[in-house]
Amino acid sequence: MKNFTIYLVLLVFLFVSKVLGQETFESKAKQIANKIEKVTKEEKAALKEEVEAVNVQLSEGKITQEQADKRKKELAEARAIIIEEKVTLAQNELNDLVQQKVDGKIKEQDSIKKGKIVIYWDKNDKNKKSRDSIRGEKRTTSQFVFAMGLNNMMVDGKLQDSNYSFIGSHFYEWGFTYNSRLMKNDNLLHAKYGLSLMYNNIRPTDNRNFVVNGNQTLLQTNSINLDESRFRNVYIVAPVHLEFDFSKPKVSNGKTYFKTHQSFRFGIGGYAGINVKSKQILKYDQDDLDYKTTIKGDYNVNNFIYGLSSYIGYKELSLYCKYDLNPLFQDNLVKENNISLGLRLDLN
């Protein structure tokens, strides 16, 4: 996915700024993240209203079930395009923000300027600062989630790295989650749930690309020497995980305060969603000219997706794995299931 390096650079600077206590850059990045969250929520709400209207038509017998499913898919695709366009604008803002940080145009907070020392002359004021530093979180918190890594296909438990490039096939995911502590006086168990936009890319090997033959979607050698052959599927999914957070509580003045993402964490659960876009991208040279062809279609891809996922890590960063339980293509004789492994960042 284009501009994914922006996120990678952003994560590095978020880490550095957090270590040094420089929150100016982080606060601006969080504003952009909130903007993305607002866009996602608004479009999700609009999609929900449109789907409800379709359900009313179906219940009144004005349309058939097939027509209703088709209309819902069209509405989801339209909303996904809007989300993608608006998120791209936010990506550009992130790019500008990172460049300003690199160029040194973002000033640090006054309290951490070079050579300035802050002394608390009022003992009560100092104690207040100390109490604020251990203030607990609400029982339900929200996170911006970004994940990326390697993507491939599995057949009968075997990785299809001979059919698809192992290093060249990637996945990307970003979205927002809510994290709810399940027990009032214990920080171990949390329910984590939200909404994500997921991109799964696979790159066929040996100069091949996908060709549709009836209800079969097969790899076929191209007569042109391809510089790139890539097949992308975009999904809107709702992930749900049971998260175990080993962050220890803080005790002050007889009160216990809970915080998340302060220690080791792991989660296990799954996801379900819909396919909103499938397309094939081919790049090649011919007569000293560079060509890029994008072919959109359904490619007999399953309209729905569901699978298992898990992550384990420390603080915000985790190792992330997900596996589709249903095959990529609806009726192919060989059932190929998508599998992904990468890194995941949960920003409170």
Side-chain angles (χ1 to χ4, degrees), residues 90-157:
Q91 287 178 344
N92 293 335
E93 290 186 42
L94 287 175
N95 191 17
D96 293 339
L97 182 62
V98 171
Q99 190 60 52
Q100 290 178 40
K101 181 71 175 181
V102 173
D103 295 339
K105 295 180 180 179
I106 298 180
K107 296 181 178 180
E108 312 302 344
Q109 288 184 330
D110 292 338
S111 61
I112 57 172
K113 284 183 179 179
K114 185 176 180 180
K116 183 171 182 179
I117 300 176
V118 179
I119 300 176
Y120 293 100
W121 293 99
D122 188 337
K123 184 177 180 181
N124 292 330
D125 184 59
K126 184 176 180 179
N127 290 336
K128 181 179 183 298
K129 295 290 183 180
S130 177
R131 290 196 301 270
D132 288 345
S133 67
I134 59 171
R135 182 179 298 165
E137 296 175 344
K138 293 181 179 179
R139 193 162 176 176
T140 296
T141 58
S142 61
Q143 296 81 39
F144 171 68
V145 177
F146 176 72
M148 59 182 291
L150 301 178
N151 199 63
N152 217 290
M153 307 300 292
M154 298 279 287
V155 176
D156 296 329

Side-chain angles (χ1 to χ4, degrees), residues 26-43:
E26 185 173 359
S27 63
K28 290 184 178 181
K30 191 171 183 179
Q31 290 176 6
I32 298 175
N34 290 337
K35 184 184 298 184
I36 298 176
E37 181 179 16
K38 182 180 179 182
V39 168
T40 306
K41 286 182 178 180
E42 289 177 349
E43 295 304 322

Side-chain angles (χ1 to χ4, degrees), residues 73 76-78 80-82 84-85 197-201 231-236 274-281 294-299 301-303 328:
K73 182 179 179 182
E77 289 176 349
I81 291 173
I82 294 174
E84 189 173 4
E85 290 176 347
L197 193 63
M198 184 187 297
Y199 286 70
N200 290 340
N201 295 278
F231 187 53
R232 171 184 292 174
N233 286 282
V234 183
Y235 302 92
I236 293 179
I274 57 174
N275 176 284
V276 295
K277 185 190 297 183
S278 296
K279 66 180 180 180
Q280 189 164 209
I281 302 167
T294 301
I295 310 168
K296 297 180 181 179
D298 62 20
Y299 287 93
V301 170
N302 266 310
N303 294 327
L328 175 61

